[in-house]
Amino acid sequence: MASKLSRVNLVKNPNYVRSGPKSYVYLLRKYAFKPTMEGPMFIGGKMHQQGKHGLHRLVGGRAHIQKVLQKKDPSGQVGEVTAQDQQNDSEYLCPVQIGTPPQTFNLDFDTGSADLWVWSTELPKSVTTKDGSSHNIFNAKDSSTFKNSAGSSWKISYGDNSSASGTVGTDDVTIGGLTIQNQSIELAKQLSTEFETGAGDGLLGLAWGSINTVTPTPVQTPVENMISQKDISQSMELFTANLGSWRDANDPDKGTSFYTFGFIDQPTLKAAGVTEPYYTPVDNSQGFWQFASASASVNGTAIPRSGNTAIADTGTTLALVDDATCKAIYAAIPGSTYDSTQQGYIFPTSVTADQLPVVTFAVGDQQFAVMKEDLAFADAGNGNVFGGIQSRGDMTFDILGDTFLKSIYAIFDQGNTRFGAVQRSEATQNLAPPPSS
């Protein structure tokens, strides 16, 4: 079995353009939280005749109030949030093969969702050929192992009215040389503009299967099937994520990004100077990789956060934490300020590594530091950068995305319902301004 297992290397999306405000709007859309800091984006209400799932709740009467993500311009005029307002692309993608003979797709690996969906020939040609689209498109008729799941459908919808939906079937899926038989595949039949604009060919969800959207019966995720089909050892019912950075191209690991399934990468542990990861229990009741994170620190000064929890989400670029912690972090960065026009904290590009604070977040009972270079996420204009840590609004838990995850080797231990972390370190911090294009 072990001979089949290998690193699954991520490929950098050449079309990805970093934008702090757009990445923040994407998170507003994904997690549907209400901002608590001033800015153009907010959760508003619109009158509709029919309620839907998620944020779309019935209020009463024949007409219903639909809660949607909206924006206001400098004059106070309220309008719709468009695809151009948000980050609909992924910085890194993973090649995955589906069907017989295999068709290859570049998918976004996302521990914050549990659907495996792909662009398919069921989409209208007006979508698949739009603007010279270069997407890989799954054709079920070309696969001898595909089976249609009659009566099953799927739909992902977000708080800005964006959605993706379609039909369901099963086929062989190969990830890093490991083939999962009869894996449920969700074929896109409809995509709103927000889903059309990304470079990826779909998404592979790595959260817990309880939040899979297939109806009438949710389907097993790829990792759940790896376990049930015994594709991976019972002692290693897990996957890991090592997310690199463009900043580390000159480091010994060249900033390589990879996942593993069914094993922990020993060279990565050795490079970190440890023999075992640190583990903490996971609460998967909401379908997420959620764990206790009851404290943080800035330059060694502890920030108590009694009862706080966090979600590890590889499908998120930023880290979102409570407002008090945000304020403490940016108070320690010279020249930082909150920019309400960008709805986020920014600071000067002239700030040096020794001026940046050491910021840590608890994973269970142990603190893990954020790389100083990842405190700067994207160009914010006028000699400033948009910070990688921002406000979580009215959410009651943190979202620890790539800003945090790039600083650790993350172990998602499904078999033991626990999350593991290994602190990574670098001899130098590359504080070159993030690319704006």
Side-chain angles (χ1 to χ4, degrees):
M1 180 185 303
S3 62
K4 295 190 300 182
L5 306 178
S6 60
R7 287 184 178 186
V8 183
N9 290 320
L10 280 73
V11 294
K12 185 169 175 58
N13 173 6
N15 299 319
Y16 180 80
V17 178
R18 284 176 172 245
S19 167
K22 289 185 177 184
S23 292
Y24 192 68
V25 173
Y26 169 79
L27 286 169
L28 284 167
R29 169 189 171 217
K30 182 174 182 178
Y31 285 101
F33 63 90
K34 181 180 178 181
T36 51
M37 301 290 288
E38 185 181 356
M41 304 297 169
F42 67 100
I43 301 294
K46 290 184 66 177
M47 193 71 74
H48 277 265
Q49 294 300 312
Q50 183 177 5
K52 297 182 181 179
H53 297 290
L55 278 181
H56 316 284
R57 298 184 176 90
L58 304 185
V59 175
R62 292 186 177 181
H64 310 123
I65 298 296
Q66 184 182 33
K67 294 182 179 179
V68 296
L69 182 61
Q70 296 179 295
K71 66 178 180 180
K72 55 188 175 184
D73 65 22
S75 68
Q77 187 72 29
V78 173
E80 300 296 321
V81 174
T82 67
Q84 288 70 40
D85 291 320
Q86 54 196 288
Q87 184 63 270
N88 301 304
D89 218 346
S90 301
E91 186 169 7
Y92 293 95
L93 301 167
C94 254
V96 173
Q97 288 75 44
I98 301 175
T100 309
Q103 303 173 43
T104 299
F105 304 89
N106 292 315
L107 303 182
D108 180 10
F109 279 24
D110 182 5
T111 59
S113 60
D115 289 81
L116 194 177
W117 69 266
V118 294
W119 282 58
S120 82
T121 52
E122 295 187 13
L123 287 165
K125 284 191 175 181
S126 59
V127 172
T128 58
T129 60
K130 186 176 182 180
D131 299 326
S133 173
S134 59
H135 286 282
N136 299 302
I137 299 170
F138 182 68
N139 189 337
K141 294 179 180 179
D142 289 343
S143 174
S144 62
T145 45
F146 178 84
K147 299 182 184 67
N148 183 51
S149 300
S152 292
S153 62
W154 65 282
K155 182 175 183 179
I156 298 171
S157 57
Y158 290 133
D160 59 352
N161 284 334
S162 62
S163 65
S165 60
T167 61
V168 183
T170 61
D171 211 332
D172 293 347
V173 173
T174 300
I175 306 172
L178 189 156
T179 298
I180 311 161
Q181 296 181 329
N182 300 312
Q183 171 64 46
S184 290
I185 310 295
E186 300 163 31
L187 309 184
K189 190 174 184 177
Q190 175 272 328
L191 296 174
S192 62
T193 305
E194 291 79 3
F195 287 92
E196 292 178 13
T197 53
D201 304 317
L203 180 143
L204 192 147
L206 294 167
W208 299 81
S210 59
I211 58 173
N212 176 265
T213 70
V214 172
T215 58
T217 305
V219 300
Q220 286 195 308
T221 66
V223 174
E224 288 172 334
N225 276 329
M226 287 180 191
I227 293 171
S228 64
Q229 294 178 18
K230 301 188 185 307
D231 294 321
I232 54 181
S233 167
Q234 188 174 1
S235 64
M236 285 282 167
E237 294 176 346
L238 53 78
F239 64 94
T240 78
N242 187 91
L243 303 182
S245 172
W246 62 271
R247 297 179 182 275
D248 304 329
N250 294 322
D251 288 355
D253 65 1
K254 307 298 183 186
T256 301
S257 295
F258 63 86
Y259 282 78
T260 71
F261 293 86
F263 73 99
I264 295 172
D265 191 70
Q266 293 303 311
T268 300
L269 295 189
K270 184 177 181 181
V274 301
T275 56
E276 289 289 333
Y278 168 82
Y279 288 104
T280 192
V282 163
D283 175 3
N284 64 3
S285 60
Q286 302 299 313
F288 298 116
W289 289 92
Q290 190 164 6
F291 49 83
S293 183
S295 65
S297 74
V298 178
N299 282 336
T301 300
I303 303 172
R305 310 165 78 208
S306 178
N308 189 69
T309 61
I311 287 172
D313 182 3
T314 61
T316 292
T317 52
L318 302 172
L320 302 187
V321 301
D322 65 278
D323 288 347
T325 302
C326 262
K327 290 176 182 176
I329 291 169
Y330 288 98
I333 300 178
S336 69
T337 186
Y338 181 80
D339 184 348
S340 61
T341 63
Q342 301 195 53
Q343 207 149 358
Y345 286 94
I346 63 174
F347 61 90
T349 57
S350 58
V351 174
T352 59
D354 62 337
Q355 292 176 308
L356 286 171
V358 175
V359 177
T360 71
F361 294 106
V363 174
D365 294 327
Q366 189 162 315
Q367 297 287 324
F368 290 86
V370 178
M371 298 279 190
K372 288 187 175 185
E373 64 187 25
D374 290 315
L375 293 175
F377 175 68
D379 179 41
N382 299 315
N384 290 300
V385 290
F386 191 91
I389 301 171
Q390 298 291 344
S391 166
R392 71 186 189 189
D394 67 349
M395 283 193 295
T396 57
F397 50 84
D398 299 341
I399 305 295
L400 297 181
D402 295 355
T403 291
F404 175 77
L405 295 174
K406 286 180 178 180
S407 300
I408 66 170
Y409 179 41
I411 294 87
F412 299 82
D413 190 340
Q414 201 138 333
N416 293 303
T417 321
R418 60 184 183 173
F419 178 76
V422 174
Q423 182 73 63
R424 292 158 61 191
S425 62
E426 295 169 356
T428 59
Q429 295 291 294
N430 179 1
L431 296 182
S436 58
S437 62

